[in-house]
Structure formats: structure tokens, C-alpha cells
Amino acid sequence: MKILVTGAAGFIGMTTSLRLLARGDEVVGLDNLNDYYEVSLKENRLKRLTSHANFRFIKLDVGERAGMEALFASEKFDKVIHLAAQAGVRYSIQNPHAYIDSNLVGFTNVLEGCRHNAVQHLVYASSSSVYGGNTKMPFSEHDSVDHPISLYAATKKANELMAHTYSHLYGLPTTGLRFFTVYGPWGRPDMALFLFTRAILEGRPIDVFNHGNMQRDFTYVDDIVEGVIRVVDKTAAVNPQYDPISADPATSNAPYRVFNIGNNNPVQLLDFIAAIEDALGMKAEKRLLPLQDGDVPATYANTDLLNDWVGFVPGTTVQEGVGRFIAWYRDYYGI
């Protein structure tokens, strides 16, 4: 297949592209290489892709309407994996316009490109952050997600609504994946694992929010990508049992699906830090701080629907995953 991967220089985008290339797909990777975090890391991820004959890179912002229209019209993709977005919960409080431009305008451009060019299936990144103020655990796709507590979360919820509209109006099959705290080699420098590792190695204290009383459904990147690939290969379909009188948010009478994709096994933040300390052979100095605006104390994915749909069962423990990240980090930075 010929597949567009937006955000191909990103953490999940690079890993997904490598998997697609390994099985023989033609991949067109798109990224704007913005400076939200170190551009050199994105460029080095791209170097892992550009050595493949079946990969082509296009530097383009998904928010550029004319460029996106031309790209879709000329390439005629079979399927699209849309991972490009302005990421980060906390940054959305500081720079809201970046999220509107990328996550809303950019997603509209992707939807329009798929609609007008007979794309068979659009798979896009949503986020566990859509659960917002929900406190019922584990988070289920059957639950309402109408109370976001950050603009980032609101844009991801909006993406799901926009996708459903296009599935309903134009019969475009769409599947949204609510990612839960993805980590691993080549990960994002603004995420906890990267921040903690760097600080510990440099002898600086680490910021531990909510005084350490946090849980995250940490999910290893290879497990995530396995789920993404399986979902790409199983096109979203109408749910024949859908009942509009008691509507289920997870499915529809349009070719639309939304799934949690996580480890289904939340880990205490202090236990996660202990795994980092063990892998580094160093102890962290912890600076205990209150919960930050826009953040939630716990995430926990119910993944039964995704398991039923494509047989997704993550298999990497936090100890294994953190160990692989630390080994990559030491090699990449020569430490």
C-alpha cells in the first residue's frame, strides 16, 4: 500500500514508518520539523527512514491548505496515518494558537484530502487526555468525554467529532486511537522519562508533581505501533448494532471507530522513577510539587474494545521498556 504518515519525524511517526517499510509498504512521510523540541532529534529520526528506497520525505505543515491539497491530489494515497499535531498539555496553556493551527486546521486539511481523493482508511492520533475530569477507572470508550481540562485535550476531542462528521457525510472510514503515555527509545524530550533521565545524569533534581501521587498507563512504543498497524489493516466499519436512542460514543452507524490504546496496567509515578534509577544505577533527588494546571492524577486504559477488534495485547513491562530507553539514551548522547 501507499501510506501517508504525517508527523513522520516524530517519535511514534518514525517507529510506525519503520514498521510499514519493513513489511514492504510505500511510505510518504510528512513533517514540518518545528522547534517545539530539539530539531536535531527529529532530523536524526528521519535519517533512519530516508535510507529506505520506499520512503520519501516531504517537509510541509498540515496547516498549509494549498500544500496539503496538492499533496493528496498528486499522491493518491491508499491509507493515511495522521500523527502530526502540536503535542503537550502544559504548552497548550502557554501557546493556544499553535494547537488551533495544527490540531484543528491541520486535521481539517487531512480530512478534506482523504474525502476528495478516495482514501480507504484514515487512522489518526487522539489522546487519553480527552478523558479530562473523568475519575471512573479504567477509562472506557463507552464513557462521555465532554469535560476536557486542557486546550490540547479539547482539540483531540474535536478531532474525534470532526472525523465522525466526515464518516457520516462522506462514508470516509476513520479510526481514532487514544494514546496513553507512550515511551521508549527516540522518545520526546518533553516527556517525563526523558526529562527525568537527563536531570538524574546531570545531577539535577527532578520535578515530581502532585507530590508523587500520580498514576500513568505507560505504554511502550513498539506495543503502540503494533496496535496502530493492526488498526490500519482493519478498516473502520458501521456498527450494525448501533442504537441511536442510547448512543454509544465508541461506535456509530457511520464507518467510525475510536479506541483506547494503552498498557491496561497503570504504574505509580514513584515506581516508574524507581525503574529509571535502577536502569541508570543512580538515585534521583526529588522535588515534590503540586499538580499542574491541565494535568490529571491518573490514567488507566480499558483496552477490551481494541483487543476484540484487532487482538491488541501489549507485552512490554515498564522495567524492560525503561531499560531499553536508557540504553538508547546513553548511546545517542554518548554518556
Side-chain angles (χ1 to χ4, degrees), residues 64-79:
E64 293 182 22
R65 179 175 171 182
M68 292 294 286
E69 287 177 350
L71 174 69
F72 272 89
S74 64
E75 296 288 352
K76 302 298 184 188
F77 303 109
D78 296 310
K79 298 187 178 183

Side-chain angles (χ1 to χ4, degrees), residues 122-126 160 174-178 256-260:
L122 167 63
V123 177
Y124 62 94
S126 185
E160 296 179 2
T174 66
T175 303
L177 293 173
R178 294 173 177 170
Y256 166 91
R257 286 289 192 277
V258 62
F259 296 108
N260 291 336

Side-chain angles (χ1 to χ4, degrees), residues 238-253:
V238 170
N239 178 7
Q241 279 81 48
Y242 180 77
D243 179 4
I245 294 175
S246 56
D248 181 354
T251 66
S252 176
N253 53 8

Side-chain angles (χ1 to χ4, degrees), residues 2 49 294:
K2 185 178 188 179
L49 299 173

